[in-house]
Amino acid sequence: MKKKFVLTLALVLMVAVTASAFPLEVTGAFKAGYKLTFNPKGVEASDKTELDIDSLSVSGDFWKVAIAGGPISFDKDDANKATLSIYLDKALAEQGMDMGDLAITVTIGNKADLGGLSVYSNTRNKLTGLKMDSKAGIAGADRYASSVQVDYGKMVSVFAGADIAAFDTAKKAMVVSAKSEPVDGIKAAVAYTNYDTNDTAGKGAVAGSVAVDVKALADLDFGLTVSAYDVYLMGDKTNKLYVEAKTVIEDITAWAEYRILDKQNDLYAKVSYAGIENVGLSAFVQLDDITDSLGAGLKTTVGGGANYKMGGVTYALDTSYVFDGTFTLTPTVKVTF
């Protein structure tokens, strides 16, 4: 570890801890356990350890320094990121300017987010860790980027960003995006980039997403939301569509996502029950490549899980079965901080 980095990190942490005006905030989770896989060839065992740092930040009244993604480093090509966000509207308001509902945030740093705005629920990513296509599928976030976002209440948000450091290469990524909530219960967003990391031809992409809170619009007695996201890769000339529906009825939560990935269709559905104190139960079904249901491409997986929370620790046992004869048993313990 470089001495300069050690001294810099030590200074940042010392100031953050000792100065109450700049509190240090850390959130994340540690998960450890074993994955036991039973298949026709025998039994395979492997450890399953995950340390996920959701955020590590030091905040002031007008700025925020955020570091996330495992071992901390400020190298340009490292897998982690450190960014600075400046809240210009708050600083200008302190100078006597009436900003009203206008908010202006400028962000710069190692691998600052260069993804377009999206209103897609993306529950599958949040609950299973399965990636969609990066944030909104627009220009990968692994960038030293600069961006500005202007928000006017909930009516409209405009985002623009660029990877200025890559302007001497073929990956001159720029993103423009907008999001709006014209009425309560309906949100929409659009985005464009001239370079998308998911496009094998190295071209750009356009994306759009919409989210509808049916409960709010129809005054239902239960929760119901529907959202969709569509991205078109201009170089590959391929389209990807994601549609999700989610409902909450008392202690039962059910959601499903249907994906049309150009010529391949997938379905993931999950039901969870939280009606027992400190206990969580769930079951899911996953269908991969439904379009090849008459051939050998269709892959069906079913599974379930149970967890119990005690003393700040979640003890879980998850199972899954693939219809090729593979059965997986995963006991884990998890601490969230």
Side-chain angles (χ1 to χ4, degrees), residues 12 83 86 322:
V12 170
T83 60
I86 303 172
V322 183

Side-chain angles (χ1 to χ4, degrees), residues 46-70:
S46 61
D47 62 283
K48 185 177 180 62
T49 303
E50 301 173 359
L51 175 59
D52 298 318
I53 302 296
D54 295 329
S55 66
L56 169 59
S57 64
V58 183
S59 302
D61 292 335
F62 312 111
W63 52 267
K64 179 179 180 179
V65 175
I67 305 168

Side-chain angles (χ1 to χ4, degrees), residues 2 9 14 23 29 38 41 46 54 57-58 79 88 92 119 127 160 167 176 186 190 210 231 236-237 249 261 333 336:
K2 298 179 180 179
L9 178 60
M14 181 179 66
F38 304 84
K41 297 180 180 180
S46 61
D54 295 329
S57 64
V58 183
L88 284 182
L92 293 173
V119 297
L127 295 185
F167 270 26
V176 290
I186 299 179
V190 293
V210 62
V231 59
D236 294 338
K237 293 181 173 56
I249 304 175
L261 309 179
V333 292
T336 302

